[in-house]
């Protein structure tokens, strides 16, 4: 198992995917935070394929060996998985996991 700390290089916006429709006068984006683990699964899988020269027109993306086992094919999932997903922040060399405040906590 490998631990990854993903740190954005710019502002990230995760929204619900509904279109902005002037006809419905619904012009507000509803953000989704934290993003679902599937967002990061797709990003990590895409990065692995990109780094290893995947060809999306070929079966199994033209990959072989351990990388092919991890990313899988168009129809079969590989061994890539997300076992833990949490918000965290880096302070110096340490990574601190951030936990949500319980709904019934009083300040």
């Amino acid at each position: 198992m490998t631990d990854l700390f993903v740190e954005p290089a710019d502002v990230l916006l995760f929204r619900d995917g509904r279109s902005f429709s002037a006809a419905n006068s619904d012009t507000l984006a509803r953000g989704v935070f934290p993003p679902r683990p599937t967002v990061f699964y797709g990003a990590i899988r895409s990065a692995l394929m990109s780094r290893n020269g995947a060809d999306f027109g070929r079966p199994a993306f033209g990959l072989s060996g351990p990388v092919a086992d991890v990313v899988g094919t168009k129809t079969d999932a590989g061994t890539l998985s997300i076992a833990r997903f949490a918000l965290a922040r880096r302070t110096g060399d340490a990574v601190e996991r951030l936990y949500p405040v319980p709904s019934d906590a009083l300040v």
Side-chain angles (χ1 to χ4, degrees):
M1 179 179 355
T2 301
D3 291 333
L4 295 176
F5 181 78
V6 179
E7 189 170 13
D10 201 352
V11 176
L12 299 176
L13 172 67
F14 301 96
R15 62 182 203 94
D16 59 8
R18 289 186 292 161
S19 65
F20 293 106
S21 176
N24 294 335
S25 71
D26 186 14
T27 56
L28 296 175
R30 287 171 179 74
V32 178
F33 192 82
R36 291 176 176 81
T38 53
V39 171
F40 289 94
Y41 178 91
I44 293 166
R45 186 173 184 241
S46 296
L48 285 170
M49 288 191 284
S50 176
R51 282 192 182 167
N52 290 280
D55 179 358
F56 293 96
R58 296 180 61 200
F61 307 115
L63 300 172
S64 61
V67 174
D69 294 338
V70 171
V71 300
T73 65
K74 293 179 183 179
T75 57
D76 297 315
T79 59
L80 179 65
S81 66
I82 295 178
R84 294 179 299 160
F85 182 77
L87 291 176
R89 69 177 164 204
R90 184 186 310 254
T91 307
D93 291 335
V95 174
E96 175 188 9
R97 242 179 121 172
L98 303 174
Y99 296 94
V101 176
S103 300
D104 58 350
L106 293 174
V107 177

